[in-house]
Structure formats: structure tokens, C-alpha cells
């Protein structure tokens, strides 16, 4: 075929201009900004070499003990990883729901549609709702309301029951579990379930027929056929969820907890937000974002190395 | 399996599905019901003892909610139209045209897909903060830090913070959209296109009369994703807007829940107003939506 340079130029031009200004340009600038002390409020950037990165990840000796130069960074990285616990839990749920919905049952489209709605709605509006649902007072927050009823049925005295109720968003040790529960609710019936459903369609029926003849039960078929056959889908979901999880948590923290109590729900993305747009320390924030990028890059490499170039099952 | 056992397992499956379903919809039903309650009735069970639409009128009275709605609708629509157009054009070039540097350029596009939004957003923020000064200096004017009005309505600065330019322009380009449409085009047959080329159709003619009609499902899926993504976008509009008139719906809602922390009915009404259009779009275009998810998952 003849060379189509000229036509290609015009087809690409509008997109390429955007690509330069809003993707390639910013990523080059961001990589550079990490090497500057740049406070947007107080003037010009000053080159400081690797200082931002050193301040971020290195440790120093104080009174004979090693402490992080930026203790917040490690704490918030820990928070981010902890909150990612929702990923494996939600994945198991998505897989099981997909298996149930894969049967030729009347109404399966109805269920699939409604299961998807929490994921669809995820965002500020839903986080506002969950903030109310997770209110401590059992007459207001319906989750503690439900627990209160259960405690009543179990015959637990009201004073003791009140002490047993979790302080969800106001208690530093309950805030992360609260968010994990919410994230599971929001993701279990969403994209991942749809991907699993698509993956299930591609498993040859003969495998199940053969297993049935061998007398394999429901559980055995799930473990020995379904799960291994879905491995590529699972891998894809896991990697994309890790990439998303490392960047996640900003909106929930902003609306529900303000990153608290005691910084227990501040994630990397919320830390970047406070540094860049509240403190206007854009140099330091760029450095944090590059560290985050490095973690995500590692997850992506894992995908290329072990995931294969193409996800055949989907 | 015997008939009886099959029957049993069907009942069990429905029971589990219904249980999960109720867990999924309870928060949404609660929101809807609470939005019709007087605030003093919030603690009195689920069903409003007295129904009221005060919360809905209250949302519009307490805030420029109509303005937030209009802003969100305008921004989401503009971004969707432009992004789908630029992505389709580029996807066609990548999927069908032979040109120098194609594979290198496409690899460049792909690699920007794994760069976190947080990384890109900081330089974009600085750019938007500085761009009015720069343009004013270069063009020796003060137009770019001025205010624009449509009749008597404030419509922000021309560029930079608090401008429709800042809220729309960065969304008009998407590596993901380009990638997804290219995947779709690679999957459809070239026969009609080649016949059209032999008949003397230009590249543009092939694109417009053959490719676009064939790619409708993928274009539709991308349009829905883009629209919903912009409708719910929060962080970028949050850092890009100062004035109340330029706020979008999610930012306005966050402000609402900040200022009226204890007014549950009002907050629920605000949530409902934000969610209903999303659910409607999803239910209407579900088929495209689901196939689009599967298309986007085929990573190259």
C-alpha cells in the first residue's frame, strides 16, 4: 500500500496536540519538578537535586534510633496498602457472583444490571451517603442500627452493646475497615464481575461435561475447572486493581474522613493533594507522585512479564 | 442431576442473589427514602412518616444547584464530543494507515496510559495557574486574566483557573479512548473499506462513510464512559474552580455536605439528583456499556 503520511498527519493532528500538551509535556515536567523546591505561593523553583526524594524515603538517626525523615510518607503508604485489602475480598465475591449469574436463569440480566449500579454510582454522592450510613449513633447510622438490633436479639445489655458498637469513621482503628467494607460494596458487582462473566463464556462446556461424568461436584468443578480457566482474567483484574488501588482513596478521604482520624485514612493520593493543592508545595508533591508512579510501573512490569501480551480470555 | 435437586439448587441460587441484591440496594433505597423526610423524622424508621419534597426545593434554594447542573452537563457533553472525535480520527490512523513512526508513536500513547493521573495533574495545575500571565505577557494584553460574561451570567476567565477552558481542554485527548477504538477497528473486516478505496474514495471518505458507521458500538461505549467519567470527576474541577458559578455538581455536593453536615434529607436529595442521570444513562445504553468494558480490557 502507498505511503499515507499526509493523510495520517491530519487524522492524528487534533489528538496529538492534546497528547503533547496534556500527557507527554506534563510527564516530562513532573519528572523534572521532583528535583526542585517549588512553592507555588512563594516564587521561583530552586534546583535541589535529589533532596525531595531523600526527604521522602530515607531515614535519619535521632537519639540513636532510626526514624523516617518524612514519617507521614511511610504511614500513608501503609494506609494505601492496607486499604487495598478490599481487592482480594471483592475479587472472590465478583467471581462467585459471576458463577451464579452464568446460569441460564430468568432474570439474570436484571440482577447483573442492579449489581452494577453501586460501581456505577461510586463517587462523591455515594461517599456522602456512606458517611451517613456509618454514623456511630445507632438511631441514625443504619449499619450500627442493624448491629444494635442483633445485640438486642442476643440479649446483650444496652450499656454493653453501646460499648461494642464500632466507631467506624471516628475511631482510628475502625476507619480503614469501614472504608474497605464500602469499597467491597462498590466494586463487587462492577467491572470485575462483568469481566468474569465474559471469561466464563469462553470456558469450553466439554470440560464440565467430562467432570460431571467423573462425578465431580459443584465445588470440585469450581476449584479444578472454573478458577484455573479464569486465571488470565483474574490476573488482569488483580493487576488493574492494584494499579487503581495505589492511586485510590482520595475522594473517600476527602468527603468522609478528611484523611483522619489521626491520619488513618490518608492515602498517597490524598497526601499528594494536601501537599500540591493545599500547601502548594508542588515540587515535593511531584516527587511523591513520581514515587507512586514507580510503584505502579512495577505492577505494570509484572503484568507484562507474567500476564502475557494479550488477555485471550476476555 | 435429578429434577428435584436441580429445583433445589435454583431456589438456593435465587436466595443468594436476592440476599446480595438487598445488600447492594439498601444504601440506595435508604438515600431515596431519606430524601423525602423532614430532618426531625430521619431517626424514625425507614419509611418517611410524613412525605415532603422540601429537601429537593431546599437544595436549589440553598445553592446555585441549577448552575452546577448546567456546568456539569455542558462540560461532560463538550468533552465527550471532542474526545470521541479526536480518538476516532487517531484510532483510524493507527489501525489502518501506513505512515512513518507509527509504531513508535503508538507505543508512546500506550505508555502514557499507565502514568497515574496524580503525576499529570500537578504540572497541569501549574500550567493552568500560570497560563493567563504568560499569554498576557506574550500578547501584551490583559484579556486572559479578565472576566467573561454571557448576558449577565459569569462564565469564568478565558483560560487558567476558573475557566471552562481548564475544565474541558485536558479531557479532550485520551490515550485510552484512542487505544480502545483502535482495538475495535483492528477487529473488524477491511473488505468494505478496501472496496471503497478502489472506487476512488479518499481516506477521509472511507473514514466518514464506512468506518464511523461500522464503529458505532465502540464509539457509543467510549461516549458513555467519557460522559459518566466527566459527570463524576471531582479532583480536577475541585482544584480548578474558585468561584461558585464555575463549580460542577460533585464539587457543589461536597460543599453541601460540608455546610449542612446534619441535614441528612438535604444531602440525600443532592445525591439523588446527581445519581439519577447516571443510572438512566447506564440503563438505556447497557449493551454498549458492557461490550465496551470487555473491549477496554483487551490490553495490547
Amino acid at each position: 500500500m502507498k505511503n499515507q503520511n499526509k493523510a495520517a498527519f491530519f487524522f492524528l493532528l487534533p489528538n496529538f496536540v492534546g497528547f503533547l500538551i496534556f500527557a507527554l509535556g506534563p510527564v516530562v515536567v513532573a519528572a523534572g519538578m521532583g528535583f526542585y523546591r517549588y512553592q507555588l505561593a512563594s516564587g521561583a523553583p530552586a534546583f535541589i537535586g535529589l533532596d525531595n526524594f531523600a526527604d521522602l524515603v530515607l531515614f535519619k538517626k535521632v537519639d540513636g534510633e532510626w526514624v523516617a525523615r518524612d514519617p507521614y510518607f511511610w504511614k500513608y503508604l501503609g494506609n494505601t496498602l492496607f486499604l487495598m485489602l478490599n481487592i482480594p475480598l471483592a475479587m472472590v465475591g465478583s467471581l462467585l457472583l459471576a458463577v451464579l449469574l452464568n446460569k441460564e436463569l430468568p432474570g439474570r440480566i436484571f440482577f447483573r444490571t442492579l449489581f452494577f449500579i453501586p460501581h456505577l454510582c461510586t463517587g462523591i454522592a455515594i461517599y456522602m451517603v456512606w458517611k451517613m450510613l456509618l454514623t456511630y449513633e445507632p438511631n441514625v447510622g443504619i449499619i450500627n442500627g442493624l448491629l444494635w438490633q442483633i445485640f438486642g436479639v442476643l440479649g446483650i445489655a444496652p450499656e454493653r452493646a453501646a460499648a461494642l458498637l464500632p466507631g467506624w469513621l471516628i475511631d482510628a482503628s475502625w476507619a480503614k475497615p469501614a472504608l474497605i467494607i464500602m469499597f467491597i460494596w462498590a466494586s463487587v458487582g462492577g467491572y470485575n464481575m462483568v469481566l468474569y462473566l465474559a471469561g466464563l463464556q469462553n470456558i469450553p462446556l466439554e470440560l464440565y461435561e467430562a467432570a460431571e461424568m467423573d462425578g465431580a461436584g459443584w465445588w470440585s468443578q469450581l476449584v479444578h475447572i472454573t478458577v484455573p480457566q479464569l486465571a488470565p482474567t483474574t490476573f488482569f483484574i488483580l493487576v488493574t486493581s492494584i494499579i487503581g488501588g495505589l492511586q485510590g482513596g482520595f475522594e473517600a478521604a476527602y468527603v468522609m474522613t478528611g484523611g483522619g482520624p489521626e491520619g488513618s485514612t490518608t492515602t498517597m493520593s490524598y497526601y499528594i493533594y494536601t501537599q500540591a493543592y493545599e500547601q502548594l508545595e508542588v515540587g515535593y508533591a511531584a516527587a511523591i507522585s513520581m514515587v507512586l508512579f514507580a510503584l505502579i510501573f512495577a505492577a505494570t512490569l509484572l503484568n507484562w512479564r507474567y500476564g502475557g501480551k494479550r488477555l485471550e480470555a476476555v | 442431576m435429578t429434577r428435584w435437586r436441580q429445583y433445589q439448587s435454583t431456589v438456593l441460587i435465587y436466595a443468594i442473589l436476592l440476599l446480595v441484591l438487598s445488600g447492594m440496594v439498601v444504601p440506595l433505597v435508604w438515600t431515596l427514602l431519606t430524601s423525602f423526610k423532614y430532618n426531625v423524622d430521619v431517626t424514625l424508621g425507614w419509611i418517611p412518616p410524613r412525605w415532603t419534597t422540601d429537601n429537593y426545593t431546599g437544595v436549589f434554594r440553598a445553592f446555585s444547584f441549577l448552575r452546577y447542573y448546567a456546568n456539569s452537563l455542558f462540560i461532560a457533553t463538550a468533552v465527550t464530543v471532542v474526545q470521541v472525535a479526536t480518538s476516532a480520527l487517531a484510532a483510524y490512523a493507527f489501525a489502518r494507515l501506513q505512515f512513518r513512526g507509527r509504531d513508535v508513536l503508538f507505543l508512546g500513547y500506550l505508555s502514557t496510559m499507565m502514568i497515574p493521573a496524580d503525576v499529570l495533574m500537578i504540572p497541569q495545575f501549574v500550567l493552568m495557574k500560570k497560563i493567563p500571565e504568560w499569554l498576557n505577557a506574550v500578547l501584551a494584553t490583559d484579556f486572559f486574566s479578565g472576566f467573561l460574561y454571557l448576558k449577565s451570567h459569569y462564565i469564568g476567565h478565558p483560560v487558567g483557573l476558573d475557566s471552562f477552558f481548564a475544565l474541558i481542554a485536558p479531557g479532550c485527548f485520551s490515550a485510552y479512548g484512542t487505544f480502545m477504538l483502535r482495538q475495535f477497528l483492528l477487529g473488524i473486516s477491511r473488505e468494505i473499506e478496501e472496496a471503497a478505496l478502489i472506487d476512488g474514495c479518499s481516506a477521509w471518505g472511507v473514514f466518514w462513510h464506512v468506518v464511523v458507521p461500522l464503529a458505532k458500538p465502540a464509539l457509543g461505549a467510549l461516549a458513555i464512559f467519557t460522559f459518566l467519567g466527566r459527570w463524576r470527576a471531582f479532583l480536577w474541577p475541585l482544584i480548578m474552580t474558585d468561584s461558585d458559578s464555575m463549580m460542577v455538581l460533585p464539587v457543589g455536593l461536597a460543599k453541601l455536605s460540608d455546610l449542612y453536615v446534619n441535614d441528612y434529607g438535604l444531602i440525600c436529595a443532592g445525591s439523588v439528583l446527581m445519581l439519577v442521570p447516571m443510572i438512566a444513562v447506564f440503563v438505556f445504553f447497557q449493551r454498549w456499556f458492557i461490550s465496551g468494558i470487555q473491549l477496554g480490557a483487551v490490553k495490547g
Side-chain angles (χ1 to χ4, degrees):
Chain A
M1 193 174 278
K2 67 179 194 302
N3 201 312
Q4 294 161 310
N5 281 341
K6 206 174 129 209
F9 175 79
F10 287 109
F11 276 99
L12 278 169
L13 187 64
N15 198 291
F16 187 68
V17 171
F19 174 72
L20 276 186
I21 301 176
F22 297 115
L24 202 61
V27 77
V28 171
V29 174
M33 264 165 73
F35 299 100
Y36 285 81
R37 164 142 301 125
Y38 189 6
Q39 290 152 313
L40 214 46
S42 64
F47 185 77
I48 51 167
L50 286 167
D51 281 9
N52 280 334
F53 295 97
D55 284 343
L56 200 56
V57 299
L58 291 188
F59 288 71
K60 61 184 173 189
K61 214 164 193 177
V62 177
D63 300 332
E65 267 188 81
W66 287 102
V67 291
R69 288 206 209 171
D70 180 350
Y72 296 115
F73 170 75
W74 292 103
K75 181 180 167 128
Y76 299 157
L77 180 60
N79 287 345
T80 308
L81 298 175
F82 191 110
L83 286 171
M84 280 161 68
L85 270 180
N86 83 82
I87 295 170
L89 298 172
M91 278 172 72
V92 172
S94 299
L95 174 65
L96 292 178
L97 285 181
V99 169
L100 291 181
L101 284 182
N102 197 38
K103 303 260 193 311
E104 286 296 327
L105 292 175
R108 52 192 286 265
I109 300 292
F110 167 80
F111 281 108
R112 190 190 69 187
T113 307
L114 286 179
F115 285 173
F116 199 86
I117 284 179
H119 181 95
L120 176 81
C121 295
T122 304
I124 296 305
I126 278 300
Y127 296 142
M128 281 164 32
V129 167
W130 272 84
K131 187 183 177 187
M132 296 184 277
L133 299 181
L134 289 163
T135 306
Y136 171 76
E137 287 76 17
N139 57 352
V140 183
I142 60 167
I143 292 177
N144 272 2
L146 181 69
L147 290 174
W148 185 259
Q149 303 269 336
I150 294 172
F151 291 157
V153 171
L154 293 175
I156 297 171
E159 312 82 62
R160 215 173 116 54
L164 280 175
L165 286 178
W168 299 122
L169 299 177
I170 51 173
D171 180 337
S173 51
W174 278 107
K176 279 193 277 277
L179 292 186
I180 288 175
I181 292 170
M182 180 183 75
F183 289 146
I184 293 174
W185 175 84
S187 63
V188 74
Y191 280 75
N192 300 345
M193 191 190 78
V194 172
L195 292 178
Y196 270 133
L197 271 170
L200 285 169
Q201 302 285 322
N202 292 332
I203 301 179
L205 277 178
E206 298 86 63
L207 289 178
Y208 290 106
E209 283 157 11
E212 199 114 321
M213 283 206 274
D214 290 345
W218 177 84
W219 177 253
S220 166
Q221 291 183 22
L222 180 72
V223 172
H224 293 116
I225 300 173
T226 312
V227 170
Q229 288 282 322
L230 286 176
T233 312
T234 301
F235 189 81
F236 173 77
I237 293 174
L238 185 67
V239 171
T240 49
S241 302
I242 289 173
I243 292 172
L246 286 169
Q247 304 175 59
F250 167 73
E251 291 186 0
Y254 184 92
V255 178
M256 296 171 71
T257 61
E262 296 158 38
S264 61
T265 56
T266 300
T267 60
M268 297 284 283
S269 61
Y270 195 78
Y271 191 36
I272 293 172
Y273 167 79
T274 54
Q275 288 296 316
Y277 312 119
E278 287 185 346
Q279 315 291 336
L280 297 179
E281 286 272 4
V282 286
Y284 198 59
I288 308 174
S289 78
M290 292 313 288
V291 172
L292 184 67
F293 184 22
L295 292 171
I296 288 165
F297 188 67
T300 312
L301 281 186
L302 211 67
N303 188 18
W304 281 345
R305 177 71 183 75
Y306 298 104
K309 270 214 169 284
R310 184 175 288 262
L311 183 65
E312 305 287 353
V314 175
Chain B
M1 234 191 283
T2 65
R3 228 202 169 111
W4 172 240
R5 281 206 43 199
Q6 199 141 20
Y7 175 73
Q8 271 184 319
S9 77
T10 307
V11 169
L12 185 68
I13 289 172
Y14 274 119
I16 296 171
L17 288 176
L18 280 172
L19 192 72
V20 174
L21 183 68
S22 56
M24 297 268 199
V25 299
V26 152
L28 300 167
V29 172
W30 179 85
T31 310
L32 192 63
L33 289 173
T34 305
S35 74
F36 290 107
K37 278 181 190 169
Y38 288 101
N39 213 29
V40 289
D41 294 341
V42 164
T43 56
L44 303 174
W46 279 61
I47 310 290
R50 303 168 290 168
W51 293 74
T52 174
T53 53
D54 280 9
N55 294 316
Y56 288 91
T57 49
V59 163
F60 286 97
R61 243 202 327 266
F63 285 96
S64 344
F65 221 75
L66 212 54
R67 180 62 195 258
Y68 305 157
Y69 235 91
N71 286 346
S72 280
L73 199 64
F74 173 63
I75 291 164
T77 309
V79 170
T80 303
V81 170
V82 182
Q83 190 191 112
V84 171
T86 60
S87 300
L89 288 166
Y92 176 71
F94 281 127
R96 291 290 194 266
L97 300 180
Q98 307 289 329
F99 59 94
R100 221 151 29 110
R102 182 179 75 172
D103 295 342
V104 175
L105 188 61
F106 187 66
L107 204 65
Y109 268 66
L110 274 188
S111 44
T112 59
M113 277 171 61
M114 65 179 180
I115 298 170
D118 287 319
V119 171
L120 300 178
M121 221 177 258
I122 299 169
Q124 288 178 3
F125 174 72
V126 178
L127 173 74
M128 290 301 172
K129 250 186 126 84
K130 300 280 185 190
I131 201 172
E133 285 173 40
W134 292 343
L135 288 175
N136 278 343
V138 170
L139 299 171
T141 163
D142 56 7
F143 169 77
F144 293 101
S145 49
F147 303 92
L148 299 181
Y149 292 89
L150 184 69
K151 289 181 182 156
S152 63
H153 299 286
Y154 174 58
I155 51 167
H157 296 294
V159 289
L161 255 61
D162 229 26
S163 71
F164 278 115
F165 172 79
L167 291 165
I168 292 171
C172 290
F173 147 79
S174 158
Y176 169 81
T178 309
F179 165 76
M180 181 185 136
L181 294 180
R182 171 189 175 266
Q183 294 301 102
F184 182 85
L185 292 182
L186 289 180
I188 59 177
S189 150
R190 293 168 176 233
E191 277 168 30
I192 311 177
E193 289 169 51
E194 270 155 17
L197 276 175
I198 291 163
D199 286 351
C201 222
S202 64
W204 170 256
V206 172
F207 172 77
W208 188 246
H209 295 292
V210 182
V211 174
V212 167
L214 280 177
K216 254 187 196 150
L219 295 173
L222 179 62
I224 295 163
F225 288 162
T226 311
F227 187 87
L228 291 178
R230 284 296 136 173
W231 184 259
R232 77 168 125 224
F234 180 67
L235 177 52
W236 181 249
L238 176 72
I239 59 178
M240 276 301 114
T241 45
D242 289 328
S243 69
D244 189 62
S245 315
M246 294 303 288
M247 281 186 187
V248 296
L249 204 47
V251 178
L253 272 183
K255 198 172 85 174
L256 180 84
S257 81
D258 233 27
L259 291 174
Y260 294 82
V261 177
N262 293 314
D263 203 336
Y264 282 22
L266 199 68
I267 297 174
C268 285
S271 291
V272 170
L273 289 172
M274 157 127 200
L275 294 178
V276 163
M278 299 176 80
I279 295 176
V281 166
F282 171 65
V283 172
F284 275 118
F285 299 107
Q286 211 197 136
R287 209 163 42 86
W288 285 355
F289 197 93
I290 301 288
S291 59
I293 293 174
Q294 290 161 18
L295 202 60
V298 189
K299 285 265 177 193

